[in-house]
Amino acid sequence: MLSIWLSLALGPVSLAPGDTWRAALSLFGLGGTDPGLAQAELILGQIRLPRTLLGLAVGAVLALTGVAMQGLFRNPLADPGLIGVSSGAALGAAVAIVFGAALGGLPSAFEPYVLSASAFAGGLVVTATVYRLGRRDGQTSVATMLLAGIALTALAGAAIGLFTYLADDATLRTLTFWNLGSLNGASYARLWPLLVIVMGVALWLPRRAAALNALLLGESEAGHLGYSVEALKRELVFLTALGVGAAVAAAGLIGFIGLVVPHLIRLLSGPDHRVLLPASALAGASLLLFADLLARLLLAPAELPIGIVTALLGAPFFLFLLVRGRN
């Protein structure tokens, strides 16, 4: 798996046999010093490594939260965007982009952080609103949350459309590329907050694998088995908002990972969340790295937004699942 990830990360860079691993080891002081590998070390250490870590983190957390939402809604075709976190994060980013441009532009040193913080805050606010609308008499209605998520997603989309209409050419280009998603511009400074959140989600969700298995039987059955269903719902919604909000804040909108990967792993390994969660994290990370490689190669030297590539990969698979389900 490590060799596959390294190959996907390196992409079209041409090195002699063995130089890839020697350059990778030299980053950690394990491969000695070789002046001939200086370019490879620079590419791996300052460009490809942060981009690879970003892709791994975003792909893993989108797949994990996809599993969580499919377990919460007890529907294998559910997606993290159903509770509005993706659209809320996109709206937060749009507000930062448009109003930052209206104020003459943000300082270059703070622009990436302001944009990420706005996207993260937007995702949390919309998700909190959806959860609040779904609460009644101390109970959380999953159906109401679904309808509220759809309504707020449409509202956020309308607001983003209004910002797109009012934006000038430069702001419109930035807004468009943000909504299409990209791993370009990854840096260690922007990466570490995402890695902290992803590690937290990746360590916490598997602790709820047995509860998610029980929830597949129904809420009342899970309650009879001794699980606190309401607490589980809160945890799943919070972790999804946290993970997807951080992913969108770091890489923009990237679709279909949270839908396709958990469903595919479920077809291969079954519905047991003890296997489904870690397998989905690995598959989501690998799929996003593969999509990033395609984004860099298909129109080289230009680069496709990665959201377009994941949609081109995920939409046909989704249609295949629908056709397969009818037969």
Coordinates of all heavy atoms in Angstrom, one line a residue, residues 1-13 15 18-25 27-28 40 43-45 48-49 52 56 286 289 293 296:
M1 N 0.8 -1.2 0.0 CA 0.0 0.0 0.0 C 0.9 1.3 0.0 O 0.6 2.2 -0.7 CB -0.9 0.0 1.2 CG -1.8 1.2 1.3 SD -3.0 1.3 0.0 CE -4.1 0.0 0.5
L2 N 1.9 1.3 0.8 CA 2.8 2.4 0.8 C 3.5 2.6 -0.5 O 3.6 3.8 -1.0 CB 3.9 2.2 1.9 CG 4.9 3.3 2.1 CD1 4.3 4.6 2.5 CD2 6.0 3.0 3.1
S3 N 3.9 1.5 -1.2 CA 4.5 1.7 -2.5 C 3.5 2.3 -3.5 O 3.9 3.1 -4.3 CB 5.0 0.3 -3.0 OG 5.5 0.4 -4.3
I4 N 2.2 1.9 -3.4 CA 1.2 2.4 -4.3 C 1.0 3.9 -4.1 O 1.0 4.7 -5.0 CB -0.1 1.6 -4.1 CG1 0.0 0.2 -4.6 CG2 -1.3 2.3 -4.9 CD1 -1.2 -0.7 -4.3
W5 N 0.9 4.3 -2.8 CA 0.7 5.7 -2.5 C 1.9 6.5 -2.9 O 1.7 7.6 -3.4 CB 0.6 5.8 -1.0 CG -0.8 5.4 -0.5 CD1 -1.9 5.1 -1.2 CD2 -1.2 5.2 0.9 NE1 -2.9 4.8 -0.4 CE2 -2.5 4.8 0.9 CE3 -0.5 5.3 2.1 CZ2 -3.3 4.5 2.0 CZ3 -1.2 5.0 3.3 CH2 -2.6 4.6 3.2
L6 N 3.1 6.0 -2.8 CA 4.3 6.7 -3.2 C 4.3 6.9 -4.7 O 4.7 8.0 -5.3 CB 5.6 6.0 -2.8 CG 6.9 6.7 -3.1 CD1 7.0 8.1 -2.5 CD2 8.1 5.8 -2.6
S7 N 3.9 5.9 -5.5 CA 3.9 6.0 -6.9 C 2.8 7.0 -7.4 O 3.1 7.8 -8.3 CB 3.5 4.6 -7.5 OG 4.5 3.6 -7.2
L8 N 1.7 7.0 -6.7 CA 0.6 7.9 -7.0 C 1.1 9.4 -6.7 O 0.8 10.3 -7.4 CB -0.7 7.6 -6.3 CG -1.4 6.3 -6.7 CD1 -2.6 6.1 -5.8 CD2 -1.8 6.4 -8.1
A9 N 1.8 9.5 -5.6 CA 2.3 10.8 -5.2 C 3.3 11.4 -6.1 O 3.3 12.6 -6.5 CB 2.8 10.8 -3.8
L10 N 4.2 10.5 -6.6 CA 5.3 10.9 -7.4 C 4.8 11.4 -8.8 O 5.3 12.3 -9.4 CB 6.4 9.8 -7.6 CG 7.7 10.3 -8.2 CD1 8.3 11.3 -7.3 CD2 8.6 9.0 -8.4
G11 N 3.8 10.7 -9.3 CA 3.2 11.0 -10.6 C 4.1 10.9 -11.7 O 4.9 9.9 -11.9
P12 N 4.2 12.0 -12.6 CA 5.0 11.8 -13.8 C 6.5 12.1 -13.7 O 7.2 12.2 -14.7 CB 4.3 12.9 -14.7 CG 3.8 13.9 -13.8 CD 3.4 13.2 -12.6
V13 N 7.0 12.3 -12.5 CA 8.4 12.6 -12.3 C 9.2 11.4 -12.7 O 8.9 10.3 -12.2 CB 8.7 13.0 -10.8 CG1 10.2 13.2 -10.7 CG2 8.0 14.3 -10.5
L15 N 12.5 9.2 -12.6 CA 13.8 9.0 -11.8 C 14.3 7.6 -12.2 O 13.6 6.8 -12.7 CB 13.5 9.1 -10.3 CG 13.1 10.4 -9.8 CD1 12.8 10.3 -8.3 CD2 14.1 11.5 -10.0
G18 N 15.1 3.0 -8.2 CA 15.6 3.1 -6.8 C 15.7 4.5 -6.3 O 15.8 4.7 -5.1
D19 N 15.8 5.5 -7.2 CA 16.0 6.8 -6.8 C 14.7 7.4 -6.0 O 14.9 8.2 -5.1 CB 16.2 7.8 -8.0 CG 17.7 7.7 -8.4 OD1 18.4 6.9 -7.8 OD2 18.0 8.3 -9.4
T20 N 13.6 6.9 -6.4 CA 12.4 7.3 -5.7 C 12.4 7.0 -4.2 O 12.2 7.8 -3.3 CB 11.1 6.7 -6.3 OG1 11.0 7.1 -7.6 CG2 9.9 7.1 -5.5
W21 N 12.8 5.7 -3.9 CA 12.8 5.3 -2.5 C 14.0 6.0 -1.8 O 13.9 6.4 -0.6 CB 13.0 3.8 -2.4 CG 11.7 3.1 -2.6 CD1 11.2 2.4 -3.7 CD2 10.6 3.1 -1.6 NE1 10.0 2.0 -3.5 CE2 9.6 2.3 -2.3 CE3 10.4 3.5 -0.4 CZ2 8.3 2.1 -1.6 CZ3 9.2 3.3 0.3 CH2 8.2 2.6 -0.4
R22 N 15.2 6.2 -2.5 CA 16.3 6.8 -1.9 C 16.0 8.3 -1.5 O 16.4 8.8 -0.5 CB 17.5 6.7 -2.8 CG 18.1 5.3 -3.0 CD 19.0 5.3 -4.2 NE 20.1 6.2 -4.1 CZ 20.8 6.7 -5.1 NH1 20.5 6.2 -6.3 NH2 21.8 7.5 -4.9
A23 N 15.3 8.9 -2.4 CA 14.9 10.3 -2.1 C 13.9 10.4 -1.0 O 14.0 11.3 -0.1 CB 14.3 11.0 -3.4
A24 N 13.0 9.4 -0.9 CA 12.0 9.4 0.2 C 12.7 9.2 1.5 O 12.4 9.8 2.5 CB 10.9 8.4 -0.1
L25 N 13.7 8.2 1.5 CA 14.4 7.9 2.8 C 15.3 9.1 3.2 O 15.4 9.3 4.4 CB 15.2 6.6 2.6 CG 14.4 5.3 2.4 CD1 15.4 4.2 2.1 CD2 13.7 5.0 3.7
L27 N 14.7 12.1 3.0 CA 13.9 13.2 3.7 C 13.9 13.0 5.2 O 13.7 13.9 6.0 CB 12.4 13.1 3.2 CG 12.2 13.5 1.7 CD1 10.7 13.4 1.4 CD2 12.6 15.0 1.5
F28 N 14.0 11.7 5.6 CA 14.1 11.4 7.1 C 15.5 11.1 7.6 O 15.6 10.6 8.6 CB 13.2 10.2 7.3 CG 11.7 10.4 6.9 CD1 11.3 9.9 5.6 CD2 10.8 11.1 7.6 CE1 10.0 10.1 5.2 CE2 9.5 11.2 7.2 CZ 9.1 10.8 6.0
A40 N 14.8 15.7 -6.7 CA 13.8 14.7 -6.3 C 13.4 15.0 -4.8 O 12.3 14.9 -4.5 CB 14.3 13.3 -6.5
I43 N 11.2 18.0 -4.8 CA 9.8 17.7 -5.3 C 9.0 16.9 -4.2 O 7.9 17.2 -3.9 CB 9.9 16.9 -6.6 CG1 10.5 17.9 -7.7 CG2 8.5 16.4 -7.0 CD1 10.7 17.2 -9.0
L44 N 9.7 15.8 -3.7 CA 9.0 15.0 -2.7 C 8.7 15.7 -1.4 O 7.6 15.6 -0.9 CB 9.9 13.8 -2.5 CG 9.9 12.7 -3.5 CD1 10.8 11.6 -3.1 CD2 8.5 12.1 -3.7
G45 N 9.7 16.4 -0.9 CA 9.6 17.0 0.4 C 8.7 18.3 0.5 O 8.0 18.4 1.5
R48 N 5.3 17.3 -3.3 CA 4.4 16.1 -3.3 C 4.0 15.5 -2.0 O 2.9 15.0 -1.8 CB 5.2 15.0 -4.1 CG 5.3 15.4 -5.6 CD 4.0 15.5 -6.3 NE 4.1 16.1 -7.6 CZ 4.5 15.5 -8.7 NH1 4.9 14.2 -8.6 NH2 4.6 16.1 -9.9
L49 N 4.9 15.6 -1.0 CA 4.6 15.0 0.3 C 3.4 15.7 1.0 O 2.5 15.1 1.4 CB 5.8 15.0 1.2 CG 5.6 14.4 2.6 CD1 5.1 13.0 2.5 CD2 6.9 14.5 3.4
T52 N 0.4 14.8 -1.0 CA 0.0 13.4 -0.8 C -0.7 13.3 0.6 O -1.7 12.6 0.7 CB 1.2 12.5 -0.8 OG1 1.8 12.6 -2.1 CG2 0.8 11.1 -0.6
L56 N -4.5 12.0 1.2 CA -4.8 10.9 2.1 C -5.7 11.2 3.2 O -6.7 10.5 3.5 CB -3.5 10.3 2.7 CG -2.5 9.6 1.8 CD1 -1.2 9.3 2.5 CD2 -3.1 8.4 1.2
S286 N -6.8 6.1 -1.0 CA -6.2 5.6 -2.3 C -6.9 6.2 -3.5 O -6.3 6.6 -4.5 CB -6.2 4.1 -2.3 OG -5.4 3.5 -1.2
L289 N -6.0 9.8 -4.1 CA -4.7 10.0 -4.7 C -4.7 9.6 -6.2 O -4.0 10.3 -7.0 CB -3.7 9.1 -3.9 CG -3.1 9.6 -2.6 CD1 -2.0 8.7 -2.2 CD2 -2.6 11.1 -2.8
L293 N -3.8 12.0 -9.3 CA -2.9 11.7 -10.4 C -3.5 11.9 -11.8 O -2.9 12.5 -12.7 CB -2.4 10.2 -10.2 CG -1.5 9.7 -11.3 CD1 -0.2 10.5 -11.3 CD2 -1.2 8.2 -11.1
R296 N -3.7 15.6 -12.7 CA -2.4 16.2 -13.1 C -2.0 15.7 -14.5 O -1.2 16.4 -15.1 CB -1.3 15.9 -12.1 CG -1.5 16.7 -10.8 CD -0.3 16.4 -9.8 NE -0.5 15.2 -9.1 CZ 0.4 14.2 -9.0 NH1 1.4 14.2 -9.8 NH2 0.1 13.2 -8.3

